[in-house]
Amino acid sequence: MQNLTRDEVAAKLWELNLELSPEITYRLETLFPRIEGWFVKGKIKEQFKLLKRLEPLLTEILLEHEEVQLVLPCNQSTLTDAFLMGSLWVGTSTCAVLVLTNLRIYCIRVNDTGVPQQSFWQIYYSQIKVVDQTLFGDALFSLKDGRRLIYSGIVPDDQKRMQFIVWENCKLFRKRGFEPDVSQSREQLCGHCFDVIPPGIYECESCGAQYWKPIEVGIRSFVFPSWGDFVMKHSTLAFMELLGFTFLIGFTVAAFLEGRYVAGLMLYVTANMADALMSVQLATRALHLKSTPFERPEMWNLYDPDRLVNEPLEAGPDYTGYRVADVAEQL
């Protein structure tokens, strides 16, 4: 795949005065596949900045012996999304980063500036059937439970590296007979304690964090367009919708002043309904944090806030993923 060694990449980073966190194990030769050539310094610095934005989260979410092998910014969307919402809407609400480790693939939702949000997924390599390309050149993951995930915005060279690393880890998983229990091929993770939350559940059993249900988001967007996207922290999209809503109010008022009450009302309801349906579609894609245990007085009797600040939360009794993942050193 590549001829670089870890020491060569480390020397290049030292030369550029770029220092990654010593608390995280990195596979430098796959994260930085080129260290010489035209414009390579800019690409190295761009990748470095991406890693530094992720490091506070990675320090918390990674397990012992878990090595970061590849990090790729992307968008998780489909042609249907672009058709229903438009490419601008998709581009501002489906930004993500794929983090490939020796244990699993994380999909981390980020905002349009690359800052991680509190929506995470994980995929164990044992759940991947094949990684391929769509007709339009997007990365396509086919999973064991039949789900197909499409990630756009990944350049061909990065896709080749990703396919190689996935193949390498899948082969190792099969050789070791390592197949952790899952509730679905792509597991949702709690944005507060990183425990697995099964599909259709909107409260973390381990820490009590609550998440917005799609119907709650849809109702808010129907009552006041952009409200649903604000609670999901799609800030850019929410501001654009708010701007559109001001024009809608203007058209509705103009219709009323001309005595076209039915037409004005139909315009208002139809536009709000379209916004609500779009918000529901986005809300079904991910868990969006509604409240943490710190924000819920009823949880204070169950948890000591000081302990929650100073100690990591234990995984819930029904979550075998972290316990199984403890044997990651065998990989």
Side-chain angles (χ1 to χ4, degrees):
M1 172 88 181
Q2 43 75 37
N3 298 316
L4 290 175
T5 66
R6 177 182 177 84
D7 289 341
E8 289 174 329
V9 179
K12 187 66 176 182
L13 294 177
W14 181 83
E15 176 188 325
L16 297 175
N17 198 28
L18 304 177
E19 184 177 356
L20 294 169
S21 171
E23 298 181 35
I24 300 172
T25 303
Y26 289 110
R27 187 177 176 182
L28 295 179
E29 59 271 28
T30 53
L31 285 166
F32 301 94
R34 291 182 58 227
I35 59 174
E36 300 294 342
W38 290 96
F39 309 113
V40 72
K41 288 184 180 180
K43 293 181 179 179
I44 290 175
K45 291 179 179 180
E46 184 178 347
Q47 178 77 335
F48 174 78
K49 290 178 182 178
L50 174 62
L51 291 171
K52 295 304 287 186
R53 284 195 295 265
L54 293 173
E55 278 189 344
L57 170 62
L58 294 177
T59 302
E60 295 186 69
I61 200 171
L62 293 176
L63 300 174
E64 189 177 2
H65 306 292
E66 196 166 4
E67 176 190 61
V68 177
Q69 300 179 334
L70 192 63
V71 175
L72 300 172
C74 60
N75 280 89
Q76 185 183 347
S77 60
T78 65
L79 285 176
T80 303
D81 297 329
F83 177 76
L84 293 177
M85 298 187 293
S87 58
L88 182 61
W89 269 249
V90 168
T92 58
S93 61
T94 62
C95 300
V97 173
L98 292 178
V99 178
L100 283 70
T101 77
N102 59 325
L103 177 64
R104 50 191 162 178
I105 298 175
Y106 294 102
C107 182
I108 301 168
R109 189 170 74 87
V110 298
N111 63 17
D112 50 2
T113 62
V115 177
Q117 305 297 288
Q118 291 177 294
S119 294
F120 317 115
W121 302 264
Q122 69 175 18
I123 306 171
Y124 286 116
Y125 291 105
S126 56
Q127 294 297 315
I128 299 175
K129 292 175 63 178
V130 66
V131 179
D132 205 347
Q133 278 190 343
T134 68
L135 291 174
F136 299 95
D138 298 330
L140 171 64
F141 283 75
S142 297
L143 306 181
K144 276 189 175 181
D145 63 3
R147 179 173 293 182
R148 291 159 57 91
L149 303 176
I150 297 176
Y151 296 97
S152 60
I154 303 176
V155 299
D157 286 346
D158 286 341
Q159 286 199 42
K160 291 178 181 178
R161 285 193 292 146
M162 180 177 66
Q163 289 174 339
F164 175 81
I165 290 174
V166 170
W167 172 82
E168 186 180 56
N169 286 310
C170 285
K171 182 180 177 181
L172 187 56
F173 266 53
R174 288 194 299 268
K175 181 180 178 180
R176 300 288 188 181
F178 184 64
E179 189 161 356
D181 293 334
V182 297
S183 62
Q184 56 185 337
S185 290
R186 186 187 68 164
E187 298 274 30
Q188 301 176 113
L189 300 183
C190 176
H192 182 248
C193 72
F194 313 124
D195 201 347
V196 164
I197 299 180
I201 305 299
Y202 296 95
E203 181 172 349
C204 179
E205 183 178 330
S206 295
C207 70
Q210 290 186 327
Y211 294 85
W212 292 100
K213 296 178 181 179
I215 187 63
E216 294 176 324
V217 173
I219 290 173
R220 282 163 173 75
S221 286
F222 179 76
V223 172
F224 186 82
S226 76
W227 188 6
D229 287 292
F230 274 120
V231 302
M232 291 188 291
K233 298 182 180 179
H234 297 152
S235 300
T236 302
L237 177 58
F239 279 116
M240 288 190 294
E241 289 180 341
L242 186 59
L243 179 62
F245 183 58
T246 59
F247 285 106
L248 174 64
I249 291 294
F251 289 132
T252 304
V253 171
F256 273 50
L257 291 176
E258 294 178 2
R260 300 178 181 179
Y261 302 110
V262 175
L265 186 61
M266 287 183 62
L267 173 65
Y268 184 85
V269 170
T270 301
N272 284 19
M273 180 61 70
D275 187 83
L277 291 175
M278 186 174 68
S279 295
V280 168
Q281 184 185 23
L282 290 174
T284 57
R285 288 182 164 276
L287 292 173
H288 297 87
L289 194 63
K290 182 178 182 180
S291 65
T292 67
F294 304 110
E295 300 167 331
R296 297 172 56 195
E298 69 270 20
M299 298 296 294
W300 295 351
N301 294 327
L302 302 178
Y303 296 103
D304 177 358
D306 292 332
R307 184 180 66 81
L308 284 173
V309 169
N310 297 310
E311 297 181 12
L313 292 169
E314 297 180 357
D318 296 328
Y319 176 37
T320 61
Y322 270 40
R323 291 197 291 274
V324 175
D326 284 339
V327 302
E329 67 270 16
Q330 297 178 12
L331 300 178

